[in-house]
Structure formats: C-alpha cells, structure tokens
C-alpha cells in the first residue's frame, strides 16, 4: 500500500478516499497491508478507509488488554470527529471491534467481523517456547491460511521477529490471556448493531463453528462463507470478500 501514515498525537493511521468511514482493525500479528484489497476496492465507490495502527506493543503491560484497545478505537473515532462509523476487524481486531461496539454502541452503525476472536481461538501461546525455531514459526504462519503460499517470507519474518522480541512476546501473551478473559458469549445477545460475518470455511485458528455461534448469538447478523479459505479472508480471497461485503452494505443501505 503506497499511502503515507498520518501521525496526529498518539494516533498513526492510513486514510484513503472520501465518503462513509470504515475503520479497519488489524489483528495481533496482522499488518495494515493485510487490508490492501479492501483499501483499493471501497474508496472509488464512496467509502473512506481508515486503518489505525493499534498500540498493541506500546501500552504499559498493565494496560495491554482488549478493553483498552476498544477505548483507543473510541478515542480514534472522536479524534476524527465522526459521530458514527462502520467497524471492520479481523482476528483480534474483530474482538476489539465487538467490545468497542458493546461499550460504545452509539458510535458503531455497522460491524464486520472475519476470523474474529471473542468466543474461541486456538492460540499460538503454547508454541512460544519454540520461538527460536524459524521453520516452526513458518509452519504456524502457513497454518493461518488455506493456501500456505499466502504466508510470504515477509509475513513469516514479521511473526518470527515479533515472537523473538521479549517486549513484544510478553505483550502478545498478555493480549492472548486478555482475549480469553473477555469472552463475549453473554454480551452478544444484547448487541443489536447490524453485523456482517465473513468467514473462511477452512479457518484453523477460529474454526467455522465459531462463526456459526457468533451468528446465533448476535440478534442482527448475517453469515457468509468463503470456500478454500483460512483465517484472513480479506487477504486470501480479497475479490470474494469485497463482493460479499459490498452487497451486504448495499442491502443494508450503509
């Protein structure tokens, strides 16, 4: 993505296009570039894409949890001067989006989750003792996708660097524990924000039954499947992801 990051106070973010704001929340190991497909598709049809860098490794350890990230997103929305936005989150970003929607429902007019934590996730945590083993980390990164070729050397190098950085590792484990603590099963039935759920049928991290449970628990949700697809549908099948999301936004008049 050849756009420059804007830096304003504590916020660093990408801003592309004009129109209805879609705020995109990346996952724990996910970079902003994971959403290149979305960022290229939606601005020409009347949406403004905003991708903040979440302060995953920047908060003090005590404040490194899902709830504080959700507060950060709310502050980001305020900083931009929007009354309400559409939130789109993958993996941990989906969980942050869900909690932000629960805490600040008036700020979120629609929510899109894909491969989201919040109910269950097969954490990478147990494998960290092997963090020095590049081949092992490569396998773990490939396991995120249906097609292992999507896990480029650049992606594997990023994950390897993260799990071998003591500061990042401690925070990664703190976030994983916080995600398990912040299980949303009891909250979801009270959340009436229209929600689009797009899920890979072959997701090994948050398996398909998790998507079904999200759909059953949320009062106003629709679930869409992408075949031959793992944990990051917007990366692995960007065209299909964009098509499903666009038709849902059109149908719901967002």
């Amino acid at each position: 993505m050849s756009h420059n990051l804007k830096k304003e106070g504590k916020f660093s973010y990408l801003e592309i296009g004009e129109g209805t704001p879609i705020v995109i929340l990346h996952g724990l190991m996910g970079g902003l570039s994971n959403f290149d497909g979305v960022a290229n598709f939606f601005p020409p049809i009347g949406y403004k894409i905003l991708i903040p860098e979440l302060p995953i490794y920047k908060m003090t350890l005590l404040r490194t949890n899902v709830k504080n990230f959700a507060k950060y997103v709310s502050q980001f929305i305020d900083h931009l001067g929007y009354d309400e936005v559409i939130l789109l989150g993958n993996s941990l970003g989906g969980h942050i989006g869900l909690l932000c929607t629960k805490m600040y429902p008036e700020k979120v007019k629609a929510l899109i989750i894909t491969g989201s934590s919040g109910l269950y996730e097969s954490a990478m945590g147990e494998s960290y003792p092997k963090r020095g083993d590049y081949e092992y980390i490569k396998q773990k990164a490939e396991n995120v996708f249906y097609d292992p070729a999507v896990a480029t050397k650049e992606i594997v190098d990023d994950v390897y660097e993260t799990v071998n950085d003591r500061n990042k590792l401690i925070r990664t484990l703190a976030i994983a524990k916080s995600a398990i603590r912040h299980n949303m099963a009891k909250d979801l039935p009270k959340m009436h924000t229209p929600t689009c759920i797009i899920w890979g049928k072959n997701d090994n991290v948050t398996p398909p039954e998790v998507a079904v449970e999200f759909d059953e628990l949320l009062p106003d949700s629709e679930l869409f499947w992408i075949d031959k697809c793992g944990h990051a549908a917007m990366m692995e099948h960007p065209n299909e992801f964009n098509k499903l999301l666009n038709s849902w936004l059109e149908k719901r008049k967002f």
Side-chain angles (χ1 to χ4, degrees):
M1 200 183 290
S2 59
H3 302 276
N4 293 329
L5 271 178
K6 287 190 165 188
K7 293 191 188 299
E8 295 164 1
K10 66 177 179 178
F11 302 108
S12 296
Y13 63 99
L14 287 172
E15 180 180 54
I16 307 141
E18 287 301 328
T20 305
I22 300 178
V23 174
I24 293 178
L25 308 174
H26 61 79
L28 186 55
M29 299 282 179
L32 275 55
S33 63
N34 293 14
F35 292 91
D36 278 359
V38 175
N40 291 327
F41 181 88
F42 283 94
I45 57 171
Y47 294 91
K48 176 180 279 198
I49 296 294
L50 298 142
I51 316 180
E53 277 191 328
L54 297 173
I56 286 173
Y57 304 118
K58 290 182 179 158
M59 287 186 173
T60 61
L61 196 54
L62 277 173
R63 296 191 64 236
T64 299
N65 58 52
V66 180
K67 191 171 183 180
N68 278 320
F69 298 145
K71 285 182 182 170
Y72 182 90
V73 173
S74 169
Q75 290 162 2
F76 179 65
I77 294 166
D78 292 345
H79 171 77
L80 295 170
Y82 291 116
D83 293 329
E84 56 175 12
V85 300
I86 296 168
L87 284 184
L88 160 57
N90 170 240
S91 198
L92 175 72
H95 196 164
I96 295 166
L98 282 156
L99 196 54
C100 186
T101 303
K102 179 208 161 188
M103 291 163 67
Y104 312 99
E106 73 287 351
K107 293 185 183 181
V108 185
K109 66 175 165 183
L111 176 65
I112 303 108
I113 55 172
T114 177
S116 177
S117 59
L119 289 174
Y120 163 85
E121 57 278 349
S122 156
M124 258 177 92
E126 78 290 350
S127 63
Y128 281 125
K130 290 195 185 180
R131 65 184 185 270
D133 181 343
Y134 186 86
E135 275 309 304
Y136 186 78
I137 296 296
K138 181 168 181 276
Q139 259 178 354
K140 277 286 182 186
E142 287 175 348
N143 192 44
V144 168
F145 305 101
Y146 176 78
D147 175 5
V150 180
T152 59
K153 184 174 186 305
E154 187 184 5
I155 288 171
V156 177
D157 287 350
D158 275 354
V159 176
Y160 184 76
E161 184 265 326
T162 297
V163 298
N164 281 284
D165 176 320
R166 188 175 152 69
N167 166 46
K168 288 183 176 178
L169 178 65
I170 289 167
R171 280 165 173 73
T172 299
L173 294 173
I175 293 163
K177 282 181 186 151
S178 152
I180 292 161
R181 273 200 315 274
H182 275 96
N183 186 289
M184 308 240 357
K186 289 191 175 74
D187 301 313
L188 298 175
K190 301 176 205 132
M191 292 169 54
H192 292 271
T193 304
T195 304
C196 176
I197 305 167
I198 303 177
W199 222 266
K201 270 195 177 165
N202 312 89
D203 189 337
N204 294 315
V205 182
T206 44
E209 56 267 27
V210 179
V212 172
E213 196 177 342
F214 270 123
D215 191 37
E216 285 170 354
L217 290 172
L218 284 159
D220 185 6
S221 63
E222 275 186 90
L223 171 57
F224 304 95
W225 297 104
I226 297 183
D227 209 6
K228 297 184 177 170
C229 180
H231 186 55
M234 70 290 163
M235 285 176 78
E236 205 161 1
H237 292 281
N239 294 340
E240 202 170 338
F241 182 90
N242 291 335
K243 206 161 74 180
L244 286 169
L245 176 52
N246 186 40
S247 62
W248 183 80
L249 291 170
E250 280 185 346
K251 187 169 88 176
R252 299 302 297 255
K253 297 191 167 45
F254 293 122

